Amino acid sequence: MTGEDEQLFRRAATLIILRHRVDSAPDILMAERAGSMAFAGGALVFPGGAVDAADEELARSIVGQQDEEDAAARVAAIRETLEEAGLAVGFDRPCDPAMTQKMRNALLMGISFGDMLKDFGVAINPDQLKPFARWFPQHRMRRVFDTRFYITDIRDDAAHISPDMSETQRVFWAKAKEVLAMVDKGHAKIIFPTRRNLERIAQFTNVAEAYRHVTQYPAITISPWQEMRDGVEHLCIPEAAGYPVTSEPMTEVLRG
């Protein structure tokens, strides 16, 4: 990859968090981005954000010679979820609400993630995150992210969340079908990758089923393309990646 190519996109990570429910499909943690954000402003998204240099440095200290890009993305997903939603997932031990808030406050005050971990005597367990997908648009006309999606789960009672009121203005739990219904009724908006992933998650009746699906469909890189179908321009994704809907008319597509 050339230096010029590297300047055209940023690496990012997103975490799909499934909350166990006894007699129904799992809940998913959704965040509404602040309207002022340059990317997906005002849209519903999964927690996550760009991978920064500190994430890469911390990842190197954890994984050694393993896939450093993957490890850095996992670090970023854990960090961003704590910052944006006030939820501690992917750590080596449970964090009660009071400790979680203190950890989050430290990050929001500018303390690095690595230093915060040392200060609170905790470590991350990136293996709790399972690869779900990787979306990397190939267009070069707008902001582009090479985004790795991971999936994890929490207990029903581990649901203490709040927005940071900076990048996120609202966070909430809902089932994938409920979020899609909100969008279809015009009560919310989501960009193309989020919709496709919500449709995929809506297939799961419980968390165990979601993990079986991940095993059946290993994460591949999704690079949408435009194609004419029945005289209508569509944005398309591969057919064999676990997604029940693989195209959408360009007139209906919302991008970041």
Side-chain angles (χ1 to χ4, degrees):
M1 181 179 297
T2 68
E4 181 180 357
D5 288 335
E6 291 177 346
Q7 294 173 7
L8 292 173
F9 73 91
R10 290 196 68 182
R11 283 187 283 273
T14 289
L15 186 53
I16 300 169
I17 305 167
L18 306 180
R19 184 173 69 166
H20 290 262
R21 308 302 285 174
V22 176
D23 296 316
S24 65
D27 292 334
I28 304 164
L29 181 59
M30 301 298 301
E32 182 178 345
R33 287 176 63 81
S36 59
M37 298 298 292
F39 179 79
L44 298 182
V45 297
F46 308 110
V51 178
D52 62 28
D55 296 327
E56 295 172 348
E57 181 178 356
L58 181 57
R60 284 192 291 271
S61 70
I62 295 172
V63 302
Q65 299 301 312
Q66 298 177 33
D67 185 340
E68 291 184 1
E69 287 190 6
D70 174 62
R74 293 171 191 252
V75 170
I78 295 168
R79 173 183 56 76
E80 289 279 358
T81 299
L82 180 58
E83 290 178 353
E84 294 182 349
L87 186 63
V89 294
F91 290 89
D92 65 341
R93 59 186 174 89
C95 302
D96 62 41
M99 179 178 175
T100 298
Q101 186 60 49
K102 291 178 181 178
M103 292 163 57
R104 182 193 200 184
N105 289 341
L107 293 178
L108 296 178
M109 288 188 298
I111 297 175
S112 73
F113 193 30
D115 286 341
M116 184 277 290
L117 294 174
K118 294 177 183 177
D119 291 344
F120 285 88
V122 295
I124 63 171
N125 181 2
D127 290 340
Q128 292 182 22
L129 280 58
K130 306 301 181 185
F132 189 72
R134 182 178 181 178
W135 283 65
F136 189 5
Q138 295 301 308
H139 57 77
R140 290 292 182 263
M141 300 303 294
R142 63 183 73 221
R143 186 182 300 261
V144 173
F145 289 93
D146 174 7
T147 306
R148 296 175 188 254
F149 288 74
Y150 299 94
I151 191 169
T152 193
D153 66 284
I154 65 168
R155 303 183 315 276
D156 180 40
D157 59 348
H160 306 281
I161 57 173
S162 62
D164 64 8
M165 300 308 295
S166 175
E167 293 187 20
T168 59
Q169 57 192 17
R170 180 167 66 118
V171 289
F172 62 95
W173 294 100
K175 302 186 189 313
K177 290 181 180 179
E178 294 172 343
V179 179
L180 291 167
M182 290 170 57
V183 174
D184 291 342
K185 293 176 181 178
H187 298 160
K189 65 179 183 178
I190 51 178
I191 59 175
F192 183 79
T194 307
R195 183 173 191 98
R196 300 288 83 85
N197 281 299
L198 282 168
E199 291 163 346
R200 186 176 173 188
I201 298 163
Q203 302 175 103
F204 311 145
T205 60
N206 54 55
V207 172
E209 191 173 297
Y211 285 127
R212 286 195 296 271
H213 175 92
V214 168
T215 301
Q216 183 180 0
Y217 294 97
I220 65 170
T221 300
I222 305 292
S223 296
W225 71 91
Q226 294 183 29
E227 178 180 308
M228 292 294 293
R229 297 188 175 182
D230 297 324
V232 178
E233 190 79 15
H234 280 66
L235 191 62
C236 309
I237 62 174
E239 294 284 346
Y243 291 89
V245 180
T246 57
S247 68
E248 184 175 347
M250 287 298 300
T251 54
E252 300 176 12
V253 168
L254 179 64
R255 285 173 156 173

